[in-house]
Amino acid sequence: MAQPEIGKKTNTKVEDQSSLKGTLASVFLLGFFLIITWVGVYFLFLDRF
Amino acid sequence: MKSVNTIVDRRDGKLVMAHFYVAFIALAIGGLAGLLQTLVRSGKFELPSWTGYYQILTIHGVVLGLVLTTFFIMGFQLALVSKTSGTLTAKQRKTGWIGFWTMTVGTVMAAVMILMNEASVLYTFYAPLQAHALFYIGLTLVVVGSWIDGAALIMAYASWRKANPGKPSPLLTFMAMVNTLMWIVATIGVAATVLFQLLPWSLGLVERVDVLVSRTLFWYFGHPLVYFWLLPAYMAWYAIVPKIIGGKIFSDSLARMSFILFLLFSIPVGFHHQLTEPGIDPAWKFLQVVLTFLVVIPSLMTAFSLFATFEMYGRSKGATGLFGWLKKLPWGDARFVVPFIGMLAFIPAGAGGLVNASHQLNQVVHNTIWVTGHFHLTLATSVVLTFFGISYWLVPHLTGRVLTKAMNKLAIIQGVVWAIGMTFMSGAMHAAGLLGAPRRSSFSTYGGSEQAMEWIPYQVAQAVGGSILFLGIILMLYIFINLAFFAPKGEEEFPVGEVSDAAEKTPMVFENWKLWIGITVLLILFAYTIPFIDMIENAPIGSKGYKFF
Amino acid sequence: MHIHKFEKIWLIFGITTLLVFLTVVGVSAFYMGNQPPSCLATINPEKVDTTAPFDEPGLKKVEGKEWDYELIFVASAFAYNPGQVEVPKGAKVKVIATTKDVIHGFEVAGTNINMMLEPGYISEFVTTFDKAGEYLIVCNEYCGVGHHMMSSKIEVVE
């Protein structure tokens, strides 16, 4: 499916990073949610006998 | 490259729709069963005497977990291949029909046995609870039928490769191929336990069954089963949703790489379902825990790709600020909104999954209703809402009709209703599970135990959520029937995403199936050989069958 | 294959998190002994009642072991034996259980005692009962029509 795109692959990367800052923020929010959940249950495990 | 077909050939469309009819009938039956369960568990409702909670629960699990999913996925994958790699040949289509009828006959056999209360063993059918032989034969036919469907897909893929030497296959065909191969490798486990252990034992040919070996073979299949459900949703997220919103696929190569990682790592991880059971050395359990964590990585990649697709699209429309791009997404389009709710649900679903798989942490939640809450987020929200979102354009595409504005609106309402119902039901399940409430159990006060009393308010909340979800199912069925039979004639688009201009050429190594299947098999042998030999060498005397239902 | 810089940052962060999780559970399991219940001993499920220690279910004081008591449970459809037991608070106990028929669960609600009982195998878990109270034991694996009636009780007393 990607064939005709091949020739154009060397696009400029000028905006590359600034334009994905929302993505970076989003995945980190997701990551913190994973950590909070996991740590929460881990403490439950530690607290119980 | 343009897609091969603008419209899926009507003859292929019929084959796909046949799969979908069974899938949506399953949704109706299984959904009703689910509603009844939540009502019973609230303690305010009793089933009539001719049926029982566990019979209903078996229907719910088999019909939704095995029938709805397998039929929808096989139908969807046939549509993807027909669309992106060209109309099936007569031989391929015929193979598809044979697969469909084999699965359907198997489904009916298993269903009849469940309805006669000869098979109230739940969809996991753990020995030594013993169902009627016809139940096992029925399930075998469902699996064999799915292999025949898979053969049709593989044949279609092979003809495309032959006609296009040296080129990477279309992304969606490639993804369907990964899922099919993973399914075939995984189902060998369940086929082995059913054909060599459970069937001869239920027929009385052998007296005893090795319970641990049977469970291990089941879970060798059971975890890739959940990825078999998930990957079609990922296909839509990676390669179809970008087109719906008007954006581009973030990266073709990364999408393929994440699928290959799923193929490699979703099978040698079954022990994380068996963490609290005897007879397996904890070191081998831990090894599979590590492998389970590896399968998280492609999901981390997926999360990034999806957000990136959305952000790139939003910014191309002039969005500014950190989250301004969110506003630019097509919030009025059910084909986007409904799968998007599914994506959001995968965040808590993934968090719960990490807990489940974390070795001794599993003791906190194992077989509590937390687990039920977990897979009602993964399967019954992320996957199922994405399947609904796919149906909203694929069904009218195949039947030569269109999704009208009114139906689109109703479809969005359906997605929102689902999200609300599931928040109540799954949320309450997670909470009650942490307090210790068991899964797969009818209403009980456990002799007035104080702890069990604490669980009851959560069970009432589950019934509220379950009732809202049932409303969602009615809406979905209404929309499906409309799209299949009554919507105005027209041409509904089959959206296939294009790759972003900045993306690179797709390496051919991804099509090297010998390599990937070779590594998959090596990983399976590595994770399973020694513990499996241990199990057989140190096996206790086997178990006779019990019919406690 | 090109990977965006931010995606690299995210993957490094994500994979590091996974490694930290694995290290925590791994160290806890292999150095502190917090393995999930994984007893490798077997038994003839049809002779449970005549096989020690299951011929005498209940709490027993033991000497010269790493734990002070052994708490023996026998599960069968749809009951546990004993149906109720008292454990002194602070006692280090090895819970030992098995089943006489189908698979059962053995979950002491609100604790980390949560194990599968499978015919032919013995399940064990060692823990210190350090909080007083009444704890419900439930069967958390479907075992048949009376599954939800199957329970027992542990009272941790001062």
Side-chain angles (χ1 to χ4, degrees), chain B residues 93-167:
Chain B
R93 195 178 306 115
K94 195 174 170 196
T95 310
W97 278 110
I98 296 172
F100 168 77
W101 282 111
T102 311
M103 293 204 295
T104 306
V105 169
T107 300
V108 171
M109 279 167 78
V112 169
M113 286 302 115
I114 298 171
L115 291 176
M116 291 169 66
N117 201 29
E118 291 286 345
S120 296
V121 291
L122 310 193
Y123 89 100
T124 43
F125 50 87
Y126 294 140
L129 281 175
Q130 189 183 55
H132 194 286
L134 284 177
F135 174 77
Y136 299 119
I137 295 172
L139 291 183
T140 307
L141 288 179
V142 173
V143 170
V144 170
S146 72
W147 288 347
I148 302 172
D149 260 350
L153 293 169
I154 293 171
M155 281 152 64
Y157 168 80
S159 2
W160 191 94
R161 284 295 301 281
K162 214 171 174 184
N164 300 272
K167 285 188 191 165

Side-chain angles (χ1 to χ4, degrees), chain B residues 54 120 126 208 215 253 257 276-277 279 285 300 359-360 363 366-367 436 440-441 444 446 451 504 548, chain C residues 1-2 10 25 28 35-39 46 107 109 112 114 116 118 125 136 140-142 144-145 147-148:
Chain B
Y54 301 105
S120 296
Y126 294 140
R208 292 168 188 274
R215 283 173 65 83
S253 308
M257 186 164 108
T276 67
E277 65 190 75
K285 289 177 179 172
L300 298 179
H359 208 51
Q360 69 274 42
Q363 287 161 227
H366 179 74
N367 271 357
R440 304 184 141 180
S441 297
S444 176
Y446 293 101
Q451 281 176 304
E504 303 164 89
F548 287 151
Chain C
M1 204 162 34
H2 169 72
W10 162 238
V25 295
S28 164
Q35 293 280 14
S38 306
C39 177
E46 283 151 24
E107 175 198 328
N112 295 329
N114 188 349
M116 302 294 297
E118 294 177 15
F125 189 71
L136 175 66
N140 63 10
E141 183 54 87
Y142 170 63
V145 72
H147 165 54
H148 54 288

Side-chain angles (χ1 to χ4, degrees), chain B residues 289-313:
Chain B
V289 166
V290 174
L291 290 170
T292 308
F293 272 55
L294 286 177
V295 86
V296 178
I297 296 168
S299 281
L300 298 179
M301 292 167 56
T302 304
F304 190 92
S305 290
L306 297 176
F307 282 120
T309 299
F310 297 151
E311 181 168 11
M312 275 161 46
Y313 169 74

Side-chain angles (χ1 to χ4, degrees), chain B residues 5-275:
Chain B
N5 279 329
T6 325
I7 299 180
V8 170
D9 185 276
R10 198 39 56 88
R11 292 162 299 172
D12 292 350
K14 275 197 177 134
L15 173 61
V16 175
M17 283 304 291
H19 285 82
F20 284 5
Y21 292 136
V22 178
F24 282 92
I25 292 170
L27 176 69
I29 298 169
L32 180 62
L35 172 69
L36 293 176
Q37 283 154 239
T38 59
L39 293 179
V40 169
R41 273 194 91 142
S42 73
K44 313 247 183 282
F45 173 85
E46 273 181 41
L47 290 169
S49 59
W50 47 266
T51 185
Y53 181 83
Y54 301 105
Q55 187 178 19
I56 302 276
L57 180 54
T58 306
I59 293 175
H60 181 74
V62 169
V63 148
L64 294 182
L66 302 177
V67 177
L68 165 78
T69 50
T70 310
F71 276 84
F72 187 90
I73 290 166
M74 284 301 167
F76 177 50
Q77 294 187 152
L78 284 164
L80 292 179
V81 170
S82 173
K83 162 79 180 169
T84 59
S85 290
T87 305
L88 301 181
T89 64
K91 194 175 150 203
Q92 291 160 5
R93 195 178 306 115
K94 195 174 170 196
T95 310
W97 278 110
I98 296 172
F100 168 77
W101 282 111
T102 311
M103 293 204 295
T104 306
V105 169
T107 300
V108 171
M109 279 167 78
V112 169
M113 286 302 115
I114 298 171
L115 291 176
M116 291 169 66
N117 201 29
E118 291 286 345
S120 296
V121 291
L122 310 193
Y123 89 100
T124 43
F125 50 87
Y126 294 140
L129 281 175
Q130 189 183 55
H132 194 286
L134 284 177
F135 174 77
Y136 299 119
I137 295 172
L139 291 183
T140 307
L141 288 179
V142 173
V143 170
V144 170
S146 72
W147 288 347
I148 302 172
D149 260 350
L153 293 169
I154 293 171
M155 281 152 64
Y157 168 80
S159 2
W160 191 94
R161 284 295 301 281
K162 214 171 174 184
N164 300 272
K167 285 188 191 165
S169 55
L171 180 58
L172 283 164
T173 296
F174 174 87
M175 290 170 153
M177 204 49 45
V178 170
N179 202 30
T180 303
L181 291 172
M182 185 188 76
W183 176 246
I184 292 169
V185 177
T187 43
I188 291 170
V190 70
T193 181
V194 170
L195 290 178
F196 300 127
Q197 293 190 286
L198 304 179
L199 192 54
W201 171 68
S202 65
L203 288 169
L205 301 176
V206 295
E207 193 191 12
R208 292 168 188 274
V209 69
D210 186 323
V211 171
L212 186 58
V213 166
S214 174
R215 283 173 65 83
T216 303
L217 287 170
F218 182 87
W219 283 114
Y220 161 92
F221 150 81
H223 200 72
L225 170 69
V226 310
Y227 282 103
F228 171 71
W229 299 332
L230 184 63
L231 289 192
Y234 273 27
M235 294 174 203
W237 296 357
Y238 265 114
I240 288 172
V241 167
K243 176 74 175 179
I244 290 172
I245 65 170
K248 295 280 168 89
I249 296 173
F250 178 64
S251 163
D252 179 280
S253 308
L254 286 175
R256 288 179 202 245
M257 186 164 108
S258 80
F259 267 62
I260 289 293
L261 291 175
F262 280 118
L263 172 66
L264 302 185
F265 294 119
S266 57
I267 304 171
V269 298
F271 281 175
H272 77 243
H273 292 259
Q274 300 178 282
L275 287 170

